[in-house]
Amino acid sequence: MDNEKMMKMPLPSSDRVIVAVRVRPFSQREKNFGSKCVVSMHSRTTLTVQDPKNPEHVKTFTFDLAYWSHSGFQKDKDGVLISADPTSKFAGQRDVFHDIGRGILDSAWQGYNATLLAYGQTGSGKSYSMIGFGANKGIIPSVCEELFQAIENQGRNQEYQVTFSMLEIYNEQIRDLLSRTKKPGGLKVREDQQLGFYVEGLKSVPCENYAQIEKLMEQGTKIRTTASTNMNTSSSRSHMVITIQLKQVFLDKALTKQSSINLVDLAGSERQRSSGAEGDRLKEGSRVNLSLTSLGNVISALADAAIGKKVLHIPYRDSVLTKLLQSALGGNSRTTLIAAISPADICYEETLSTLRYAERAKKVRNNAVVNTWSRAETKTLLGCGNAGAAEQSACFLADHQLGTQSVQETWAHLLEQARREWEQQYAAIAQEQQMVKTLPHLLNVNEDPQLTGVLKYFIHTGSCVAGQAASNAITLQGLGISDEHASFTNVDGKVTVTPHRKCKVVVNGVPITSRTKLQHLDRIILGSNSAYLYIGFPSERGSEDLSRFDYDFFQLERAAAEGVSMDKLGAVSSGDGQADPSVLAVFQDYVKLMPLVAEANQMSEELKKELNMELKVKNLASSDSRGYDLQKEIMVKVTNQRTHEVWIWSKAKFINRKFLMEELYQRFLDGEDSHVTQEDDPFWDPVEVIHLGSAHVWLQSLAYCMKFEEQVEFLNCDGLEEAVLHIHMASCSPTGQAHGEEDVVIDPCELLGKRMDFQIHIVQCLGVKWLKEDAKRGIQMGYRIYDLPNTLYTKPIWKIVNPQIEEIVQFAALNVSQEFLNYLQTNALIVDLWGLQEGCTELSCSQLDFMVTDEGHIMVDTKKISDVKDTSQMASNQTSELYLKVLKLEQETELLRNINRVLREENIFLKESLEKIDSGQQAHKPSSTLKITEMTSQLPSAKEINQMCTQQASCDKEFAKALKVFYQSMNTAKRQFLRLWQYKPPEDDQMLRPFVYQQSQMLKDLGDLLESSLWKLKNDVSLIVKKKREYLLYTKQ
C-alpha cells in the first residue's frame, strides 16, 4: 500500500544546485613562467581571490564545497596523489569522489535523476576531475566502478539494468561517440510529450560490469580523438555528455526504480568571452559558443526566478546543450556543478569569471522526484504514451531508446548482442596491445591530455605510405595532410621518414625536406598541426615518462626552432629573478596561437583564399614618450597575396575568425557549397589604415631654445627600420621668425611663466618599405605633443617612395608651466607612420578640436585655460584668448607689486643708513666726503662697464654653443644605443661571428662618440672658464 502511494504521488523536493570549487596545481607552463598564486582557501567552503594588479583588491566566495588541490601533496608508490603530511589541506581524487561521486550514487539508488556539470576554462582541471589521469581516477570511472560493486552485493530478488551512452556536442552538432559511422549534420534532438528532449538514434549499450564501461569510454575517447583530428577541432571547444541509465527491478514487489545519471564535461568557458572580438563585423557569426552562452542565460534566468524576480521565459530551446539539460537545471534532477579554476595570476580574469558563474548557479532550484512505477504501468506507458504521467517522463528515456522499436526484445537478448560485440573488440584490443610491445609506432599528441596517446599507427617492416588515402598502410586525417604525405621505412632496425613533394613534415621542431632517421621519442608534426610521438623498437625503450612530451612541449620546441623566445620578446629579469609577467603572458599567447595560425593558413590555401597570416607582437620594440616599454600584445598580420591588401587582427578577432573559417572549411570537406558572399566571408575585411612604425624625436633641445634637425628611423613592430623621417624643430617668435644662437637659454627655468613658440617641420620621409612593396599605396604621419586633445596628421601622399612632406606647424605655450618644461626635458615626440591602401579612409583631424592663438598657432600647455574653460563654460577660442591675456596682466601686476615691495624695503634701508650718517660726528664729515670721492673715482667708466657686459654675454653665448653641440651628440648617442639594444643575434650559427664583430664595432663607435663628446664639452668649458678668469683678473687690476 505504501509503495502504491509512492507510485501515484511522488513527493517533489526543492533541491538547490550544489556547487563545488576545485583549485588545481600550477601547470608546467605556469611554473616555467614564474606564475604567482592569487587564490587562497580558508575553509572547506570559502576561498578568496586577489587581484594581481591591485593586491589590496580581494574578493571572497562561499560555496557548498571547496577543494584545495594546488599544493601539499605527494605521489604514493602507485602514482596516486595523496596529502604530503597530516596537516596538509590537499584534496585528492578520492576526497572529491567521496563528497560528490557518492552523493550522485546515493541519489541514483534512491531513484532520483542526478547530474554533474564540470565548468571552467580550458586547462583548469575539469577533465581531470571528471575522468582523471593515470592512477588518479576521476569521478566518472569511480562512480561506474562503485555502481557495479554495489550491484554485486545486492539481494537475489532484484534485477539491475545498466546502459551507457556517450556523445559530444560541437558547433550545435551531436556526434555519437559509441558509433563508428558519422551521420552528416549530426544526430537530431527530438521532443516527446512524455520523454521531453532526447537524442534520436543515440546508441545506448547494455553493460554487465565496470570493465565493459571502461572499454566503452576508451572507444568513445578514440572516436572523439579521430573526429577532433578529422574535423580540425579542439576538444576544449566541445561538450562531452555521458549518460548512465540505472533501472532497479524489485521482483518481489513488482516495483521499478529508474535513474538517469548525466555526467557533463563542458567546453572551455573562456571561449564564451574571449572568442568574440570587439569591432569584428562577424562577431555573432559563429555557433561554437552558442551552447555555453545559452547555458549561462538559462542559469541566470533560473537564478532570478529563485530569488523572486519575474521571469517570463527560460531559454532552454536556444541550444542543443540546454535542451538536453532541461531536467538538470530547474527540472527533475539533483544537480551538482564543480567549477575548476587555476590559481595563477595570469588566469585571474578567467578564474574570477568562473567563480561568478558558479555563484549564480548555486541559486538555481530543481524539483527532483523519486522515479518509481509498477511493471503494469511501464507496459501501459510504453505502449500507449500516457500523457498523464508527464512528471515521470524523463525516466523512460532508456526504455524508449532500447524498447520502442521492438518491445519484445528482452534485456537478456540485448545483453547477448552486446557480448558478441565485446568479443570482437577484445580480439582487436589484444592484437593492438601485442603490436605495441613489438613494433615501432606513432602516438598521437593532443591539446587535451585525455585524448593524447589514444591513436596508434604501427610502422611494419618495409616501406609504408602515410596520408589521407584509404589505400595507405597508415591512414591519417588532419588539416594539411595530403593523400600521400610521407613514407616511413622500417629496414634493418632503423626507421626513416621521407616527405612527399612539398608536404610539411617537422621533426623535433625543424622542418625537413629529405629522408630523416628517427630516434626513439622524436617529435613529429605532419601537415599544419597533427602531432605524433615516435616510439622506437623495444630495444630502444626504457622507463621514460612519456607525459612530459605533451602538446605544450611540441609547440615550445617548434617556437624555439623558429627563433621565438622570451628573450626576443624582451623579457627582462627583475630583481627577484622572475621575468616580466606581461612578457610571459605574451609569449604564452604566441606559442598558443602558432598552431592556430598554421591551421588558418592551410584552410586559406585549400579554399583558395590566397591569404597569408603571420603572428606579430604589437609594441615589441616600441616605447612611450619617456622611453619606457609599452605593453606588448599578440596580433595577426593578414596579407592577401594577390591584391597585397593588409589587415591587422587582434588575438580575439583572429580566434573568432578561425571558428568561422572552420565552419566554412567543414562545409567544403562535406562536399557542400562553401561559397559565401564577401560580407559573410571570414577571410575578408574592408581595407583599413595600417600602423607601420614609430619614430622618437627627443624634445630636450626645445627646452634650451636650440634648433634641432635630424633624420630619425621609423621602427616597425619587429624593431626593424621601416623608413627614415627628416624633421626640423626650432623655437621661434610669435610671428614665426626662428631664434638664433643668442636666444639659447642656459637654464630652462628662464622660460617659466613666459610665452614660448616653436615649430615642428616634417620635411621628408625616406625609403618607405610599405611603398616599395606596392606602388599603389600611400602614407600619412601623425603626432601629438603634450596636452593636445587629438593627433595631428600630415596630408596623405600616394605612390611616392621618398615623399616630400614639407609641413610646418607652429605651437605656442602662452604661460610656460614647470610641468611643460619637465615634459620637454624628459620626453620624446612620437611620430607614427601609417600605411594607406586603395579604398581606405584617410586619417584627418579638425582644427576646431584645438585652441589657437590670435596668430592662428596651436596652443599647448593649456591646463589653466582648460580649467577656466570648464568652470566658466567659455565656448570660443577668442574668449579663452581674452582670459589668457587678463591672466597674464594679473601676473605682470603681481610681479610689479613684488618689485615695488622690494624697492620700498630698499628705500627704508637707505633712509635708516642716512639717519645714522647724520647722527654721526661732524668732524668726520670731510674724511667721509674724501672717501666717497675716492670710491667714485675708482668706479669703472661707462665704456668699461659696456666691455664687462659684452664679455659676460660672450661667455654665456660660448657656453650655450657648447651645450648645444653636446646635446646634439647625446641625441646621436641615444639613437645608436637604441639601435644596439634592438640588434638581435641571428638564428643561423654561421652568421654569429659577423654579428659579434658588427656588434663590437657598434659598441666601439658608441664609446668613441661618448668619449669625444665629453672631451669636447670639457675642453669648451675649460676655455670659457679660462676666459672668465682672465676677465676677473683684469677687473681686479
Side-chain angles (χ1 to χ4, degrees):
M1 181 66 180
D2 292 337
N3 286 339
E4 286 184 13
K5 287 182 180 178
M6 187 162 44
M7 285 186 292
K8 298 294 183 183
M9 297 181 63
L11 298 176
S13 62
S14 181
D15 296 304
R16 181 175 58 79
V17 170
I18 303 299
V19 177
V21 173
R22 190 177 190 187
V23 185
R24 66 157 170 79
F26 282 145
S27 66
Q28 190 58 50
R29 180 183 290 179
E30 289 165 348
K31 290 177 184 177
N32 294 342
F33 291 167
S35 296
K36 295 179 181 178
C37 182
V38 295
V39 177
S40 56
M41 194 171 291
H42 308 289
S43 70
R44 285 293 305 272
T45 59
T46 305
L47 55 81
T48 58
V49 186
Q50 184 183 53
D51 186 345
K53 295 179 181 177
N54 183 11
E56 296 179 358
H57 189 206
V58 177
K59 289 188 175 292
T60 302
F61 296 88
T62 301
F63 299 101
D64 299 287
L65 295 163
Y67 298 106
W68 182 259
S69 302
H70 175 65
S71 59
F73 59 87
Q74 63 184 13
K75 281 185 181 181
D76 67 7
K77 59 182 178 60
D78 298 320
V80 177
L81 299 182
I82 58 174
S83 295
D85 58 73
T87 62
S88 172
K89 56 184 177 181
F90 173 74
Q93 295 286 65
R94 292 304 300 177
D95 299 307
V96 177
F97 170 73
H98 182 271
D99 294 332
I100 297 176
R102 288 221 168 95
I104 290 171
L105 281 174
D106 290 344
S107 295
W109 286 119
Q110 294 174 48
Y112 290 102
N113 294 330
T115 301
L116 174 61
L117 305 171
Y119 183 87
Q121 72 176 111
T122 300
S124 61
K126 300 188 312 299
S127 298
Y128 178 79
S129 293
M130 295 291 277
I131 306 294
F133 190 79
N136 296 278
K137 289 184 178 179
I139 295 173
I140 294 176
S142 297
V143 163
C144 296
E145 190 172 21
E146 291 216 359
L147 173 65
F148 282 102
Q149 286 177 359
I151 287 175
E152 290 175 3
N153 297 328
Q154 296 297 327
R156 294 183 178 179
N157 293 325
Q158 298 173 21
E159 181 181 297
Y160 298 93
Q161 300 176 7
V162 178
T163 62
F164 180 92
S165 64
M166 189 175 181
L167 63 85
E168 179 182 51
I169 302 172
Y170 174 76
N171 202 20
E172 290 302 284
Q173 292 188 7
I174 298 175
R175 182 182 180 94
D176 187 348
L177 295 179
L178 300 184
S179 173
R180 297 187 181 279
T181 58
K182 179 195 171 187
K183 185 176 180 181
L187 302 179
K188 303 300 179 186
V189 176
R190 304 297 185 193
E191 186 177 12
D192 184 88
Q193 188 175 6
Q194 295 169 355
L195 302 177
F197 291 108
Y198 67 94
V199 181
E200 184 181 49
L202 180 66
K203 186 175 182 180
S204 192
V205 180
C207 296
E208 295 179 282
N209 52 55
Y210 169 65
Q212 292 177 344
I213 284 188
E214 197 172 31
K215 295 302 178 186
L216 284 173
M217 288 180 64
E218 289 179 8
Q219 177 187 333
T221 303
K222 190 170 184 177
I223 291 174
R224 190 182 189 200
T225 307
T226 306
S228 173
T229 305
N230 293 355
M231 296 175 64
N232 185 46
T233 60
S234 169
S235 63
S236 64
R237 302 204 304 270
S238 66
H239 315 285
M240 184 183 72
V241 182
I242 288 176
T243 301
I244 300 167
Q245 297 285 350
L246 170 63
K247 183 187 288 185
Q248 306 173 64
V249 181
F250 300 91
L251 301 174
D252 54 344
K253 300 178 182 178
L255 180 70
T256 300
K257 285 184 182 180
Q258 180 157 323
S259 302
S260 178
I261 303 173
N262 294 298
L263 306 166
V264 185
D265 189 358
L266 295 168
S269 60
E270 79 283 353
R271 306 293 183 181
Q272 190 174 358
R273 184 174 58 82
S274 64
S275 63
E278 287 189 13
D280 189 355
R281 61 189 179 83
L282 298 180
K283 178 177 170 182
E284 302 298 332
S286 177
R287 297 183 297 165
V288 170
N289 307 307
L290 181 60
S291 290
L292 269 186
T293 304
S294 301
L295 183 62
N297 294 339
V298 167
I299 288 176
S300 295
L302 290 170
D304 289 343
I307 60 175
K309 288 186 179 181
K310 187 177 180 180
V311 178
L312 299 176
H313 171 63
I314 308 296
Y316 290 114
R317 296 177 180 273
D318 287 359
S319 75
V320 167
L321 179 68
T322 48
K323 287 177 182 178
L324 297 180
L325 293 181
Q326 182 171 5
S327 63
L329 294 169
N332 177 22
S333 176
R334 286 183 170 177
T335 300
T336 301
L337 182 141
I338 181 167
I341 60 173
S342 163
D345 50 359
I346 59 175
C347 298
Y348 169 75
E349 294 294 339
E350 293 296 347
T351 294
L352 200 60
S353 174
T354 299
L355 292 173
R356 286 171 175 160
Y357 192 97
E359 202 168 38
R360 287 201 308 273
K362 72 180 183 181
K363 298 176 184 176
V364 175
R365 293 193 172 274
N366 291 349
N367 293 303
V369 298
V370 175
N371 304 302
T372 62
W373 64 94
S374 68
R375 203 172 305 166
E377 279 186 307
T378 304
K379 293 179 181 178
T380 304
L381 288 168
L382 285 174
C384 307
N386 184 355
E391 70 277 2
Q392 297 178 343
S393 60
C395 306
F396 304 120
L397 181 57
D399 284 321
H400 182 84
Q401 291 170 340
L402 293 172
T404 50
Q405 295 179 359
S406 176
V407 179
Q408 291 76 24
E409 285 186 8
T410 64
W411 177 252
H413 180 62
L414 292 171
L415 281 177
E416 184 58 34
Q417 284 184 329
R419 286 191 193 104
R420 287 196 293 268
E421 292 183 11
W422 290 123
E423 290 173 1
Q424 295 175 359
Q425 290 181 20
Y426 284 141
I429 291 170
Q431 183 183 7
E432 183 180 89
Q433 290 175 344
Q434 184 60 34
M435 288 193 292
V436 165
K437 296 176 182 178
T438 58
L439 289 175
H441 55 277
L442 304 177
L443 282 180
N444 79 297
V445 177
N446 195 283
E447 184 180 7
D448 185 348
Q450 302 293 334
L451 306 186
T452 292
V454 173
L455 305 178
K456 302 173 183 67
Y457 301 96
F458 297 97
I459 305 172
H460 295 272
T461 303
S463 180
C464 54
V465 176
Q468 296 212 30
S471 58
N472 293 334
I474 299 177
T475 304
L476 300 174
Q477 302 293 330
L479 191 60
I481 294 182
S482 305
D483 286 344
E484 294 185 353
H485 196 87
S487 293
F488 289 87
T489 305
N490 178 358
V491 177
D492 297 331
K494 297 178 183 179
V495 173
T496 59
V497 58
T498 307
H500 287 194
R501 297 181 298 278
K502 296 182 180 181
C503 296
K504 298 173 185 175
V505 177
V506 175
V507 176
N508 300 335
V510 181
I512 63 168
T513 55
S514 59
R515 176 174 295 190
T516 301
K517 182 184 176 182
L518 295 179
Q519 304 289 341
H520 178 54
L521 300 182
D522 274 351
R523 283 77 58 201
I524 303 170
I525 297 177
L526 303 177
S528 59
N529 194 36
S530 297
Y532 303 93
L533 182 67
Y534 169 70
I535 306 298
F537 292 93
S539 58
E540 299 178 80
R541 305 174 197 174
S543 55
E544 304 93 353
D545 179 14
L546 301 185
S547 63
R548 74 186 186 94
F549 298 105
D550 58 6
Y551 184 81
D552 285 348
F553 188 99
F554 276 67
Q555 302 309 328
L556 287 169
E557 184 176 56
R558 193 174 184 179
E562 293 181 11
V564 180
S565 65
M566 286 191 289
D567 290 337
K568 180 181 178 182
L569 298 182
V572 180
S573 180
S574 57
D576 59 1
Q578 300 293 340
D580 182 352
S582 63
V583 176
L584 295 175
V586 169
F587 181 66
Q588 181 177 350
D589 283 342
Y590 197 104
V591 174
K592 185 177 179 180
L593 289 183
M594 277 182 61
L596 303 186
V597 170
E599 292 167 2
N601 279 328
Q602 186 62 41
M603 287 188 281
S604 170
E605 182 180 332
E606 294 188 32
L607 292 172
K608 295 181 172 53
K609 295 294 183 178
E610 299 181 288
L611 289 192
N612 180 63
M613 287 159 255
E614 56 181 322
L615 280 173
K616 296 288 183 182
V617 181
K618 185 178 180 180
N619 300 327
L620 175 61
S622 301
S623 56
D624 62 13
S625 63
R626 299 192 66 182
Y628 297 122
D629 285 349
L630 290 170
Q631 184 75 29
K632 297 174 176 61
E633 59 183 83
I634 294 298
M635 59 185 184
V636 179
K637 181 181 179 182
V638 185
T639 306
N640 187 308
Q641 295 172 309
R642 180 176 56 84
T643 65
H644 298 155
E645 291 173 343
V646 177
W647 300 272
I648 300 295
W649 289 350
S650 66
K651 169 192 166 185
K653 183 173 182 177
F654 168 74
I655 291 174
N656 186 53
R657 287 301 179 91
K658 186 171 181 294
F659 288 161
L660 297 166
M661 292 174 188
E662 288 172 4
E663 292 178 14
L664 191 63
Y665 183 71
Q666 192 57 46
R667 285 162 54 183
F668 168 74
L669 292 181
D670 293 341
E672 301 175 13
D673 182 13
S674 58
H675 175 75
V676 290
T677 63
Q678 189 179 63
E679 286 297 321
D680 296 328
D681 190 350
F683 291 91
W684 179 86
D685 255 347
V687 288
E688 58 189 27
V689 179
I690 303 297
H691 184 260
L692 302 177
S694 301
H696 282 57
V697 183
W698 293 94
L699 298 168
Q700 196 174 29
S701 60
L702 289 179
Y704 295 89
C705 296
M706 295 182 188
K707 291 182 181 179
F708 175 88
E709 179 178 359
E710 194 59 77
Q711 291 188 349
V712 188
E713 295 173 328
F714 281 109
L715 299 179
N716 60 22
C717 64
D718 295 321
L720 303 175
E721 181 185 305
E722 179 67 30
V724 175
L725 169 66
H726 186 188
I727 187 170
H728 290 183
M729 290 192 306
S731 60
C732 62
S733 68
T735 58
Q737 184 175 358
H739 284 160
E741 292 182 352
E742 64 278 1
D743 297 306
V744 172
V745 298
I746 297 174
D747 185 355
C749 289
E750 296 177 34
L751 301 173
L752 195 62
K754 298 179 181 178
R755 172 165 178 162
M756 176 185 178
D757 287 79
F758 59 93
Q759 292 180 343
I760 295 178
H761 178 193
I762 295 182
V763 183
Q764 193 176 13
C765 192
L766 304 167
V768 185
K769 292 182 180 178
W770 171 258
L771 299 171
K772 291 178 181 178
E773 292 169 0
D774 190 336
K776 297 178 183 178
R777 293 170 173 172
I779 62 159
Q780 278 185 275
M781 280 171 273
Y783 60 90
R784 186 167 70 178
I785 188 168
Y786 196 48
D787 56 357
L788 286 187
N790 292 304
T791 302
L792 286 165
Y793 293 104
T794 62
K795 64 181 180 293
I797 303 290
W798 292 86
K799 306 176 183 179
I800 303 174
V801 175
N802 299 309
Q804 200 78 19
I805 310 296
E806 294 295 350
E807 289 199 14
I808 302 174
V809 179
Q810 183 162 330
F811 300 90
L814 300 182
N815 181 25
V816 173
S817 65
Q818 186 62 54
E819 291 81 5
F820 183 57
L821 288 177
N822 293 340
Y823 168 80
L824 291 178
Q825 293 179 84
T826 58
N827 289 61
L829 176 72
I830 298 178
V831 183
D832 290 308
L833 180 63
W834 296 92
L836 304 177
Q837 307 180 77
E838 280 189 306
C840 73
T841 303
E842 296 173 351
L843 301 170
S844 63
C845 58
S846 172
Q847 289 291 331
L848 298 176
D849 296 332
F850 305 106
M851 298 173 65
V852 295
T853 64
D854 289 340
E855 301 89 354
H857 307 320
I858 295 175
M859 291 167 58
V860 294
D861 196 14
T862 58
K863 184 178 180 183
K864 292 181 180 178
I865 305 169
S866 301
D867 292 343
V868 173
K869 187 175 180 180
D870 292 339
T871 56
S872 309
Q873 308 257 325
M874 293 184 179
S876 65
N877 292 329
Q878 290 82 1
T879 307
S880 299
E881 181 74 14
L882 180 62
Y883 168 76
L884 196 62
K885 288 178 180 178
V886 173
L887 182 66
K888 192 172 183 182
L889 284 172
E890 286 181 357
Q891 291 171 341
E892 290 175 354
T893 304
E894 183 64 29
L895 181 63
L896 289 172
R897 287 196 192 101
N898 293 335
I899 294 171
N900 188 40
R901 185 169 57 253
V902 172
L903 289 173
R904 194 183 300 117
E905 291 173 354
E906 188 177 345
N907 189 32
I908 293 170
F909 173 75
L910 289 172
K911 187 176 180 181
E912 290 175 350
S913 300
L914 287 172
E915 286 175 355
K916 288 179 181 178
I917 293 171
D918 289 341
S919 62
Q921 296 180 3
Q922 294 294 326
H924 294 132
K925 187 174 181 180
S927 62
S928 298
T929 306
L930 182 63
K931 282 183 180 180
I932 292 171
T933 306
E934 289 174 355
M935 288 170 64
T936 305
S937 66
Q938 290 176 6
L939 289 173
S941 65
K943 183 177 180 181
E944 288 173 333
I945 291 172
N946 187 42
Q947 287 178 349
M948 288 164 59
C949 293
T950 304
Q951 185 67 32
Q952 179 67 30
S954 176
C955 288
D956 289 346
K957 187 175 180 181
E958 291 294 328
F959 188 59
K961 282 183 178 179
L963 281 177
K964 178 181 177 182
V965 172
F966 179 70
Y967 287 138
Q968 288 174 341
S969 300
M970 286 302 98
N971 279 329
T972 304
K974 189 180 291 184
R975 286 194 300 276
Q976 286 192 13
F977 176 74
L978 286 173
R979 193 179 299 115
L980 187 63
W981 178 65
Q982 291 156 359
Y983 196 49
K984 301 298 181 184
E987 298 175 10
D988 188 356
D989 292 342
Q990 294 181 353
M991 299 299 295
L992 198 56
R993 189 181 296 276
F995 166 78
V996 172
Y997 172 77
Q998 191 170 359
Q999 191 177 50
S1000 61
Q1001 189 64 40
M1002 290 171 70
L1003 281 169
K1004 182 178 179 300
D1005 293 343
L1006 179 61
D1008 291 346
L1009 177 62
L1010 289 172
E1011 188 176 345
S1012 63
S1013 300
L1014 288 171
W1015 180 85
K1016 184 155 191 345
L1017 179 64
K1018 183 179 177 181
N1019 190 48
D1020 290 343
V1021 171
S1022 298
L1023 288 172
I1024 293 169
V1025 170
K1026 183 179 179 182
K1027 285 182 181 180
K1028 195 137 191 170
R1029 282 177 179 171
E1030 291 174 353
Y1031 161 71
L1032 290 172
L1033 287 172
Y1034 169 76
T1035 55
K1036 285 181 180 180
Q1037 293 172 0

